[in-house]
């Protein structure tokens, strides 16, 4: 299967494509669609190669509600301006 052990990172264009796994929300990452993620995650709950970003600046325009699993390599972008905590 695509993605890690929870399905996080599998390519998607809608939530329906992420159904039936822990990562059941499609996080839009650009014009090409997005990746399956876990919304409302906790620290360490995202599995291999992903971190849970949460407690973000409420004014930041982010493509998820509250918290979500994002790729480790993208976490620095969310801990800067948006001020998220990612781990």
């Amino acid at each position: 299967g695509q993605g890690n052990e929870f399905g996080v990172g599998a390519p998607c264009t809608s939530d329906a494509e992420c159904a039936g796994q822990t990562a059941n929300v499609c996080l839009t990452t650009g014009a090409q669609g997005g990746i399956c993620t876990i919304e409302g995650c906790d620290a360490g709950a995202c599995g291999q190669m992903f971190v849970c970003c949460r407690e973000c600046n409420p004014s930041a325009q982010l493509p998820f509600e509250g918290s979500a699993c994002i790729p480790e390599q993208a976490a620095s972008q969310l801990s800067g301006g948006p001020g998220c905590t990612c781990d």
Side-chain angles (χ1 to χ4, degrees), residues 2 6 10 17 30-31 36 40 52 66 73-74:
Q2 303 259 14
F6 302 119
E17 293 176 56
C36 296
C52 178
Q73 66 266 27

Side-chain angles (χ1 to χ4, degrees), residues 28-41:
T28 302
T29 55
Q32 302 305 311
I35 59 167
C36 296
T37 192
I38 302 170
E39 245 182 20
C41 54

Side-chain angles (χ1 to χ4, degrees), residues 21-80:
Q21 59 187 17
T22 305
N24 60 0
V25 174
C26 187
L27 177 68
T28 302
T29 55
Q32 302 305 311
I35 59 167
C36 296
T37 192
I38 302 170
E39 245 182 20
C41 54
D42 293 310
C46 294
Q48 294 177 332
M49 302 187 307
F50 289 84
V51 290
C52 178
C53 288
R54 60 199 187 284
E55 297 171 12
C56 305
N57 185 332
S59 64
Q61 295 295 307
L62 299 172
F64 57 83
E65 290 291 321
S67 60
C69 297
I70 66 151
E72 284 177 356
Q73 66 266 27
S76 59
Q77 300 167 20
L78 289 180
S79 54

